[in-house]
Structures are given as C-alpha cells and as structure tokens.
Amino acid sequence: MRGAAMVEFAIVVAPLLLLALGVAEFGHALYQYEALTKATRDATRYLSMYLPTDPAYPIASAQCLAVYGSSACPSGSATPLVTGLTTSMIVICDATHTTGCQDASDPAQFASVPTYDTNNGAPSGTPTGSVNLVEVKIKGYQYTPIETLFNLQGLIFGNIFTVMRQES
C-alpha cells in the first residue's frame, strides 16, 4: 500500500507543480501589465496639467515618473518599477510631439478635438471649442518571466497607453 501511494504521488506531483508554476507565471504577467498601465496613467495625469506649448513642458520628468515612480530620474543604478523598463520605451504624443505616434492605437488627432456645448455648437452646428489630448505609451516592453520553464523570454507586450485631456 505504501508503495502504491508513493507511485500515485509521483504521478500527480509533476502536473500539479507545472500547474502551480503556470498560475504563478500568469499572475506575474498580469502584475507587470497592470504596473505598466498604472505607470502610463500616472505620467499622463502629470502631463495633463501642462500645455504642450509650455516652455517648461516636462517630457523627461514624465518619462522618469513612468519608469521610476518619481518625476526626478534617480542617478546610478536605480531600480525601475518593472524590471527591464527604460525611459526610451516611453513615448509622449500630443499636439506638438508626434514622433512615434503613428500606431493604430493612437487617436487620429491630438490637437483641437472639437467639443460641443448643450446646443450642439450653437444654431449653426459648429463646434464652440476644442481640447488637446496627451498620450503616454510604453512601446516594446519585453516580459520578464519568473521561471524560464515556459520559454516566455521573447514575449513582448503590445503598446500600453493612456490618453487624457490636457489643460487648456
């Protein structure tokens, strides 16, 4: 009887261990994706307080905020919020900064998006104002797995982005 229990345990432990590692890896991927999403939200919210034409427009500070959680980039070998994330992966798109903003995920326009009042733009039906949008995008982030067992080293997340209205 003892031998049969050991054999059954040996047969069951491998699939259970594989299942447990798979669940942990999936949870880790979700954690990294959510951390990256939060980073784009924070950086976009930070930039939404500025006009893109402001001479002190803080692009570098927003990139640092997305990577390190602080608007001031730390010196030396600081640890990013998510392993492997760098400021070069952070793309800022708005009315005046359009480099790297030609993906299908980007809005068609960032400047002068028409807004309508309660009369749908007065009697003539024309827009009564406009808003500017800002987008912070993480492009080309490569997933960092817990374990190499599942061979996920080459997995690259799609663009992770947030778009918000800018102050006008």
Side-chain angles (χ1 to χ4, degrees):
M1 286 298 231
R2 280 192 195 145
M6 288 294 275
V7 169
E8 289 172 359
F9 178 74
I11 291 171
V12 170
V13 77
L16 284 179
L17 187 59
L18 192 63
L19 183 65
L21 287 173
V23 168
E25 198 70 61
F26 183 71
H28 186 249
L30 284 177
Y31 166 77
Q32 282 191 346
Y33 189 85
E34 187 56 35
L36 294 170
T37 302
K38 183 182 181 314
T40 63
R41 270 191 238 124
D42 291 345
T44 307
R45 189 174 298 117
Y46 178 70
L47 284 176
S48 72
M49 296 184 294
Y50 295 89
L51 286 172
T53 55
D54 190 341
Y57 194 58
I59 288 183
S61 296
Q63 290 173 322
C64 291
L65 182 62
V67 174
Y68 299 105
S70 170
S71 60
C73 279
S75 59
S77 59
T79 305
L81 295 172
V82 180
T83 306
L85 185 62
T86 63
T87 54
S88 64
M89 294 177 185
I90 311 299
V91 178
I92 310 289
C93 302
D94 56 31
T96 58
H97 304 89
T98 58
T99 305
C101 303
Q102 291 80 27
D103 295 333
S105 64
D106 297 317
Q109 58 189 37
F110 286 98
S112 302
V113 177
T115 59
Y116 297 92
D117 61 14
T118 55
N119 296 329
N120 196 22
S124 66
T126 57
T128 58
S130 65
V131 297
N132 289 326
L133 302 177
V134 62
E135 174 189 55
V136 175
K137 174 175 29 179
I138 297 176
K139 198 172 187 178
Y141 178 76
Q142 187 169 350
Y143 174 64
T144 308
I146 299 172
E147 185 60 48
T148 58
L149 178 68
F150 298 107
N151 196 21
L152 297 173
Q153 291 84 356
L155 178 66
I156 296 177
F157 287 160
N159 291 344
I160 300 168
F161 62 95
T162 302
V163 178
M164 287 185 189
R165 177 183 176 173
Q166 266 184 313
E167 190 174 281
S168 49

